[in-house]
Amino acid sequence: YYFPCQRWLAVEEDDGQIVRELVPVDEAFVKKDTENDGQSLATLGLEQKAKSTTYTVKVKTGDKKNAGTDANVFITLYGSKDDTGMVFLKASKINKNKFERGKVDEFTVESVDIGDLKKIKIGHDNKGNSTGWFLEWVEIDAPSLGRCLKFPCGRWLDKSEDDGAIERIIFPAELQTTEYIPFVPYEITVYTSDIFGAGTDADVFIVLYGSDGICTQQKSLCLNKREQRMYFERNSVNQFIVELEDVGDIIEKIRIGHKGGGLNSGWHLDRVTIRRLLPNGK
C-alpha cells in the first residue's frame, strides 16, 4: 500500500492540522509518478486531498465570565460510515488567541468520507492555567456534501461547573440545518512567466464562470501569508485542489487576479489550466 501525503503537519502551515488521514493510491499511479520529477510528487498529495472531505468547523465560546479556555480542544466527527478520530483544533483562522470569551473561531478539518454527519464529540484535556470552558455552539459546513449543520451546546466543559464533564457528545439541530448544491473539487494549475519580476507575494484569487450565468465565489488560492510567499515565484508551476460551486461541464471564462499590497505584488501570469475532478478522482 502506498499512502502519499506531500503536505505539512504543522499548526502554522497549510490548514493547521497536525494529524492527517491518508488513503492509498493504486500501483499504476505510483509507477507513473516515480518516473517523473519532484513536481509530480506533489500531485500525489493533491490526489489525496481530492479524495478527502473538507469541513469548516466554527466554534462559539459563550459570553460569560471565565468562559474562555487555554486547554487543548479536540473534536471527533461521527458519520453514518465512519468517524474522523480525535482532531485537535490547533490553528484558528480568525483569532490568534482561540477560545476566548464571546468569540467565534474557525478551523479546517479534513477526513476521508465518513458519510452523513450524525453527531460530534468535543472536549478538552484540562491542561493550562484557565481550563474551564463554556461552549455555546459548533457549526460544521461540508461544501462537498452541500450541508451546514448547527450543534447547540450552551453548557460548561469544566470539572468544577455543571456536571463536571470536560467532553460532550452533541447532536445537530435539524431545524438549523442548511442544505445547498454540493461543491466539487477543481484542480487548478497556475503557471507564472519566466521574465524578470514575474513573481508575486500578493493574495491571488480566482472565480470560475460556467454557462447560464453560473459562477463560483471568489476564492483565494493560498491559505495564509506564508503560502503567498512560497507560491507564484518566477517560472513556477503551482497546483491547487479547490472546492467550489459546480459551474457545470463547460467553463466559459475565469477571473483571476490579486489584492495588491506588499513589496512584490506585480505578477506576470503565463497561463492557467483547470480540471474538474469527478468522484472517482479522474
Side-chain angles (χ1 to χ4, degrees), residues 84-96:
T84 61
M86 185 186 293
V87 178
F88 279 92
L89 302 178
K90 290 283 190 180
S92 173
K93 292 183 175 181
I94 301 174
N95 305 305
K96 189 172 182 181

PDB file of all heavy atoms in Angstrom, residues 84-96:
ATOM      1  N   THR A  84     -13.944  10.574  12.263  1.00  0.00           N
ATOM      2  CA  THR A  84     -12.668  11.212  11.920  1.00  0.00           C
ATOM      3  C   THR A  84     -11.554  10.848  12.880  1.00  0.00           C
ATOM      4  O   THR A  84     -10.381  11.121  12.592  1.00  0.00           O
ATOM      5  CB  THR A  84     -12.806  12.745  11.939  1.00  0.00           C
ATOM      6  OG1 THR A  84     -13.192  13.152  13.267  1.00  0.00           O
ATOM      7  CG2 THR A  84     -13.855  13.216  10.938  1.00  0.00           C
ATOM      8  N   GLY A  85     -11.886  10.268  14.024  1.00  0.00           N
ATOM      9  CA  GLY A  85     -10.905  10.151  15.089  1.00  0.00           C
ATOM     10  C   GLY A  85     -10.737  11.504  15.760  1.00  0.00           C
ATOM     11  O   GLY A  85     -11.310  12.514  15.327  1.00  0.00           O
ATOM     12  N   MET A  86      -9.968  11.546  16.819  1.00  0.00           N
ATOM     13  CA  MET A  86      -9.786  12.782  17.574  1.00  0.00           C
ATOM     14  C   MET A  86      -8.922  13.767  16.789  1.00  0.00           C
ATOM     15  O   MET A  86      -7.808  13.444  16.393  1.00  0.00           O
ATOM     16  CB  MET A  86      -9.156  12.484  18.932  1.00  0.00           C
ATOM     17  CG  MET A  86      -9.046  13.697  19.838  1.00  0.00           C
ATOM     18  SD  MET A  86      -8.145  13.323  21.375  1.00  0.00           S
ATOM     19  CE  MET A  86      -9.275  12.199  22.179  1.00  0.00           C
ATOM     20  N   VAL A  87      -9.457  14.969  16.565  1.00  0.00           N
ATOM     21  CA  VAL A  87      -8.731  16.026  15.851  1.00  0.00           C
ATOM     22  C   VAL A  87      -8.586  17.217  16.794  1.00  0.00           C
ATOM     23  O   VAL A  87      -9.590  17.754  17.275  1.00  0.00           O
ATOM     24  CB  VAL A  87      -9.478  16.464  14.576  1.00  0.00           C
ATOM     25  CG1 VAL A  87      -8.723  17.594  13.884  1.00  0.00           C
ATOM     26  CG2 VAL A  87      -9.672  15.280  13.623  1.00  0.00           C
ATOM     27  N   PHE A  88      -7.343  17.632  17.072  1.00  0.00           N
ATOM     28  CA  PHE A  88      -7.132  18.799  17.924  1.00  0.00           C
ATOM     29  C   PHE A  88      -7.296  20.073  17.104  1.00  0.00           C
ATOM     30  O   PHE A  88      -6.773  20.177  15.990  1.00  0.00           O
ATOM     31  CB  PHE A  88      -5.757  18.750  18.581  1.00  0.00           C
ATOM     32  CG  PHE A  88      -5.711  17.868  19.791  1.00  0.00           C
ATOM     33  CD1 PHE A  88      -5.348  16.539  19.671  1.00  0.00           C
ATOM     34  CD2 PHE A  88      -6.069  18.356  21.034  1.00  0.00           C
ATOM     35  CE1 PHE A  88      -5.327  15.703  20.783  1.00  0.00           C
ATOM     36  CE2 PHE A  88      -6.058  17.542  22.158  1.00  0.00           C
ATOM     37  CZ  PHE A  88      -5.683  16.208  22.026  1.00  0.00           C
ATOM     38  N   LEU A  89      -8.051  21.022  17.628  1.00  0.00           N
ATOM     39  CA  LEU A  89      -8.319  22.295  16.941  1.00  0.00           C
ATOM     40  C   LEU A  89      -7.207  23.272  17.312  1.00  0.00           C
ATOM     41  O   LEU A  89      -7.301  24.012  18.296  1.00  0.00           O
ATOM     42  CB  LEU A  89      -9.700  22.817  17.330  1.00  0.00           C
ATOM     43  CG  LEU A  89     -10.859  21.853  17.007  1.00  0.00           C
ATOM     44  CD1 LEU A  89     -12.183  22.434  17.472  1.00  0.00           C
ATOM     45  CD2 LEU A  89     -10.908  21.527  15.519  1.00  0.00           C
ATOM     46  N   LYS A  90      -6.147  23.269  16.521  1.00  0.00           N
ATOM     47  CA  LYS A  90      -4.927  23.986  16.872  1.00  0.00           C
ATOM     48  C   LYS A  90      -4.868  25.398  16.315  1.00  0.00           C
ATOM     49  O   LYS A  90      -4.439  26.331  16.991  1.00  0.00           O
ATOM     50  CB  LYS A  90      -3.714  23.196  16.358  1.00  0.00           C
ATOM     51  CG  LYS A  90      -3.447  21.896  17.094  1.00  0.00           C
ATOM     52  CD  LYS A  90      -2.794  22.166  18.422  1.00  0.00           C
ATOM     53  CE  LYS A  90      -2.287  20.906  19.087  1.00  0.00           C
ATOM     54  NZ  LYS A  90      -1.658  21.175  20.386  1.00  0.00           N
ATOM     55  N   ALA A  91      -5.232  25.583  15.044  1.00  0.00           N
ATOM     56  CA  ALA A  91      -4.982  26.864  14.365  1.00  0.00           C
ATOM     57  C   ALA A  91      -6.292  27.507  13.934  1.00  0.00           C
ATOM     58  O   ALA A  91      -6.887  27.111  12.939  1.00  0.00           O
ATOM     59  CB  ALA A  91      -4.065  26.646  13.157  1.00  0.00           C
ATOM     60  N   SER A  92      -6.744  28.500  14.700  1.00  0.00           N
ATOM     61  CA  SER A  92      -7.947  29.244  14.325  1.00  0.00           C
ATOM     62  C   SER A  92      -7.636  30.189  13.177  1.00  0.00           C
ATOM     63  O   SER A  92      -6.604  30.862  13.177  1.00  0.00           O
ATOM     64  CB  SER A  92      -8.474  30.047  15.514  1.00  0.00           C
ATOM     65  OG  SER A  92      -9.538  30.896  15.114  1.00  0.00           O
ATOM     66  N   LYS A  93      -8.527  30.218  12.182  1.00  0.00           N
ATOM     67  CA  LYS A  93      -8.318  31.096  11.032  1.00  0.00           C
ATOM     68  C   LYS A  93      -8.676  32.543  11.346  1.00  0.00           C
ATOM     69  O   LYS A  93      -8.368  33.442  10.573  1.00  0.00           O
ATOM     70  CB  LYS A  93      -9.162  30.627   9.846  1.00  0.00           C
ATOM     71  CG  LYS A  93      -8.724  29.302   9.265  1.00  0.00           C
ATOM     72  CD  LYS A  93      -9.570  28.971   8.051  1.00  0.00           C
ATOM     73  CE  LYS A  93      -9.078  27.708   7.381  1.00  0.00           C
ATOM     74  NZ  LYS A  93      -9.880  27.389   6.185  1.00  0.00           N
ATOM     75  N   ILE A  94      -9.350  32.777  12.472  1.00  0.00           N
ATOM     76  CA  ILE A  94      -9.868  34.108  12.775  1.00  0.00           C
ATOM     77  C   ILE A  94      -9.080  34.791  13.895  1.00  0.00           C
ATOM     78  O   ILE A  94      -8.703  35.958  13.777  1.00  0.00           O
ATOM     79  CB  ILE A  94     -11.365  34.027  13.160  1.00  0.00           C
ATOM     80  CG1 ILE A  94     -12.177  33.408  12.016  1.00  0.00           C
ATOM     81  CG2 ILE A  94     -11.910  35.417  13.507  1.00  0.00           C
ATOM     82  CD1 ILE A  94     -13.633  33.166  12.360  1.00  0.00           C
ATOM     83  N   ASN A  95      -8.823  34.077  14.968  1.00  0.00           N
ATOM     84  CA  ASN A  95      -8.218  34.691  16.156  1.00  0.00           C
ATOM     85  C   ASN A  95      -6.895  34.031  16.516  1.00  0.00           C
ATOM     86  O   ASN A  95      -6.778  32.802  16.504  1.00  0.00           O
ATOM     87  CB  ASN A  95      -9.168  34.564  17.358  1.00  0.00           C
ATOM     88  CG  ASN A  95     -10.537  35.136  17.071  1.00  0.00           C
ATOM     89  OD1 ASN A  95     -10.666  36.298  16.687  1.00  0.00           O
ATOM     90  ND2 ASN A  95     -11.575  34.331  17.237  1.00  0.00           N
ATOM     91  N   LYS A  96      -5.902  34.859  16.839  1.00  0.00           N
ATOM     92  CA  LYS A  96      -4.609  34.319  17.288  1.00  0.00           C
ATOM     93  C   LYS A  96      -4.779  33.599  18.613  1.00  0.00           C
ATOM     94  O   LYS A  96      -4.270  32.503  18.820  1.00  0.00           O
ATOM     95  CB  LYS A  96      -3.587  35.453  17.411  1.00  0.00           C
ATOM     96  CG  LYS A  96      -2.186  34.966  17.654  1.00  0.00           C
ATOM     97  CD  LYS A  96      -1.165  36.095  17.591  1.00  0.00           C
ATOM     98  CE  LYS A  96       0.248  35.554  17.791  1.00  0.00           C
ATOM     99  NZ  LYS A  96       1.253  36.641  17.749  1.00  0.00           N
TER     100      LYS A  96
END
